[in-house]
Amino acid sequence: MKRKMPVLASVVALTMALTACGGTSGTKATPAPSAPAATAAASTAKDTITALLPPVSPNYQKTFEQMSKDFTALYPNLTLKIEPASWEDMKQKLDTQVNAGSPPDIAFGGSDGIPKYVQQGLLMDITDAATPEMVNDYDKAPLEYMKNGKGLYGFPAYMEVHALGGNKEFLEKAGIDWKKVQTNGWTYDEFRQAIKKGVVTENGKTRYGFVFAVKGVASVDYLGIMAKNAGMPNAFNKDLKYAYTSKNYLGLLKDLRQLIDDGSMPKELSSVDAGKRWNMFLTGQTMITGKGLAVFENSAKTNNAKLKASDASAVKDSIPVDYIVLPAPTFQGAKQSSAAVVDGYMTFRGKKEPTAEHKANVVKAAYFLASGKNAATTNNDLFSAHITQSAKKAAESMKIDRNPDNVAAVDFMLKNATPARSDIPTELGAKAIKLETEVIVPKFQGLIAGEVTPEAMYEAVKAAAIAAFGADGVVKD
């Protein structure tokens, strides 16, 4: 998710994987990163910075009051006003405010949405306001995802990969060498045969080999993650030709439908949302689930502890689960290209040009949220890797209980993650998002439900792509 992104009491446990989140410097434990931020603007005038933030991690929203106090302690003339939002209404709230021309100064969201907001003219380029100390605090790769063209539109909270997750006991009963898969990956054919072995019927109930959340807009997560491993790491190739007109796209659609026809996935897959998917996994109704973030291991551990303690808040009918991180399979002989997840704190402006002082203050707040102690705390809650030096330092004193095999698997996938594409023009990126929303999502939902054939969906996407980008603007192979 979720995050979020899509994945919180009971909803947190089910959906906190939809996405995940960031952090902060600004405490005495991390003076070095805070100091540059304090000098980003000389003004001591009173100012308020607004932020719209979802439940990025299980405990994230519980810290809002303390984060605001810590921010004002660091900057006595500034107030950080945080508006909480659920994952369900985050996008709608933000879009409503953007369309009204009065967005929050900061909003948490996926970096893939940056082109859309840039085109609307209300994202704020902070290239000239972010200090060298702030920029240099970051690992290079994740910061690139917050760029569009030459502009920097906020700070990333974390860099993760969308993976799959398996039940260790069920994997081993099916004879699957999950450690080998974690190390070497697997092809579609290997994956297909593996999940067939995971289908078991006991006491009149079926345990599926694989379940993915696909209800509503989540369907595009499934398709997008798999497309990256089918030779289409982005909607545009390096020549800026729209990629989903490739023959590989048609092959991918056939393969994904085949998994349902095999009986390895439920025929009712189109009704499975993020919450139901996770519930099915915890109650033993599937061997492998997706999409998965590292935080799912933490969620499973939390539920296991509740079961052990006979805690009534444990998921009903759930079983102890040892969560295993697995890569998505590769298709059509393509190389592994893990779906990188970079969400962060996007910086917005209203219809009027902000003053230099306010812009500098927004940058201070965004960096405060995305680095140091705040980032370390939240990313540990998510089992996500730290992407700033200040967060890594702050995390040194924090304990975290992670399966070392899972840590290695995530590291392997991150090394093969899809690179950022800040070279894609805003106009093309926005058109691709529109095509995805209006054509790909409904057609793929129809494909999953058995109402649209792979060939019919492919032709519909191809026709829409040619209409949007021209006959010379799409891949022909």
Side-chain angles (χ1 to χ4, degrees):
M1 247 157 301
K2 326 223 186 242
R3 199 271 311 167
K4 176 80 55 351
M5 197 240 115
V7 249
L8 225 177
S10 58
V11 179
V12 167
L14 300 179
T15 62
M16 71 177 98
L18 288 175
T19 75
C21 166
T24 170
S25 73
T27 67
K28 292 182 180 179
T30 56
S34 330
T39 59
S43 174
T44 58
K46 295 286 186 180
D47 195 6
T48 297
I49 299 94
T50 59
L52 180 65
L53 306 177
V56 176
S57 79
N59 297 301
Y60 182 66
Q61 290 188 330
K62 298 175 185 178
T63 66
F64 283 178
E65 184 177 352
Q66 187 59 50
M67 284 197 295
S68 294
K69 289 180 179 178
D70 290 347
F71 183 71
T72 298
L74 184 61
Y75 304 105
N77 62 310
L78 304 180
T79 298
L80 177 58
K81 184 179 179 181
I82 301 175
E83 178 186 355
S86 68
W87 282 119
E88 288 75 16
D89 63 11
M90 176 71 196
K91 184 178 182 298
Q92 183 178 359
K93 274 190 174 183
L94 179 57
D95 284 348
T96 297
Q97 294 178 30
V98 168
N99 292 335
S102 55
D105 294 310
I106 298 167
F108 188 89
S111 57
D112 55 356
I114 287 177
K116 167 187 170 182
Y117 294 118
V118 169
Q119 189 181 51
Q120 290 177 295
L122 292 183
L123 265 189
M124 184 168 69
D125 182 359
I126 61 171
T127 304
D128 60 345
T131 67
E133 291 87 350
M134 293 176 184
V135 172
N136 293 335
D137 190 27
Y138 275 92
D139 294 346
K140 185 177 179 180
L143 193 64
E144 292 299 309
Y145 283 83
M146 301 302 290
K147 296 180 179 180
N148 187 267
K150 295 182 179 180
L152 175 65
Y153 295 96
F155 293 116
Y158 56 81
M159 182 173 181
E160 262 293 354
V161 287
H162 278 149
L164 307 181
N167 179 311
K168 180 182 177 182
E169 178 186 351
F170 296 164
L171 290 169
E172 293 179 346
K173 282 184 176 179
I176 298 168
D177 187 347
W178 56 268
K179 287 191 176 183
K180 181 179 179 181
V181 173
Q182 284 187 329
T183 304
N184 301 323
W186 44 5
T187 65
Y188 167 71
D189 288 334
E190 291 169 336
F191 177 74
R192 183 187 177 197
Q193 295 307 314
I195 63 175
K196 279 184 179 180
K197 295 176 183 177
V199 179
V200 176
T201 300
E202 295 176 338
N203 301 319
K205 295 182 179 180
T206 298
R207 177 169 73 236
Y208 294 97
F210 181 41
V211 171
F212 202 103
V214 298
K215 186 177 180 180
V217 294
S219 63
V220 81
D221 291 335
Y222 182 32
L223 183 55
I225 290 166
M226 299 306 186
K228 286 175 171 47
N229 279 331
M232 297 164 288
N234 199 280
F236 296 93
N237 66 13
K238 293 181 179 179
D239 296 323
L240 298 180
K241 305 283 188 181
Y242 189 72
Y244 297 159
T245 54
S246 165
K247 62 183 180 182
N248 276 15
Y249 197 70
L250 175 57
L252 174 64
L253 297 178
K254 290 180 178 179
D255 289 342
L256 296 182
R257 180 62 223 181
Q258 190 173 51
L259 299 180
I260 300 174
D261 295 336
D262 283 346
S264 299
M265 303 182 81
K267 285 184 167 47
E268 308 80 19
L269 186 65
S270 59
S271 67
V272 177
D273 60 15
K276 184 175 181 180
R277 169 279 319 268
W278 187 234
N279 182 278
M280 291 180 72
F281 184 73
L282 290 183
T283 55
Q285 296 179 66
T286 183
M287 178 178 71
I288 297 176
T289 190
K291 64 183 179 183
L293 291 170
V295 67
F296 276 38
E297 180 186 342
N298 197 15
S299 299
K301 287 178 182 291
T302 299
N303 196 68
N304 290 345
K306 290 180 178 180
L307 288 173
K308 188 175 182 180
S310 299
D311 187 332
S313 65
V315 173
K316 185 180 179 181
D317 298 325
S318 58
I319 60 175
V321 173
D322 194 346
Y323 185 87
I324 298 298
V325 173
L326 298 167
T330 56
F331 300 79
Q332 279 84 49
K335 295 180 180 179
Q336 183 173 349
S337 183
S338 304
V341 186
V342 180
D343 298 336
Y345 299 90
M346 296 181 287
T347 48
F348 286 82
R349 48 163 291 175
K351 291 181 179 179
K352 294 182 179 180
E353 182 71 23
T355 64
E357 289 79 7
H358 183 67
K359 186 176 185 179
N361 293 338
V362 171
V363 170
K364 291 176 186 178
Y367 178 69
F368 170 82
L369 293 168
S371 63
K373 179 185 174 183
N374 288 338
T377 301
T378 304
N379 287 355
N380 274 357
D381 203 18
L382 290 164
F383 280 22
S384 294
H386 304 294
I387 59 173
T388 60
Q389 295 305 310
S390 58
K392 291 172 185 176
K393 184 173 179 60
E396 289 176 357
S397 60
M398 300 179 184
K399 293 183 179 180
I400 183 170
D401 178 24
R402 291 186 67 182
N403 180 331
D405 288 321
N406 287 344
V407 175
V410 171
D411 287 343
F412 170 73
M413 285 184 279
L414 282 171
K415 290 176 182 177
N416 294 284
T418 305
R421 289 291 305 276
S422 59
D423 62 304
I424 297 174
T426 301
E427 182 182 359
L428 288 184
K431 283 184 177 181
I433 292 174
K434 186 172 186 290
L435 193 156
E436 176 183 279
T437 303
E438 296 179 356
V439 181
I440 292 178
V441 169
K443 291 297 182 183
F444 190 57
Q445 288 172 339
L447 176 70
I448 292 169
E451 299 165 353
V452 176
T453 66
E455 292 81 3
M457 176 175 172
Y458 175 71
E459 290 301 327
V461 172
K462 187 175 180 180
I466 291 174
F469 307 109
D472 294 330
V474 303
V475 168
K476 300 173 184 177
D477 55 14

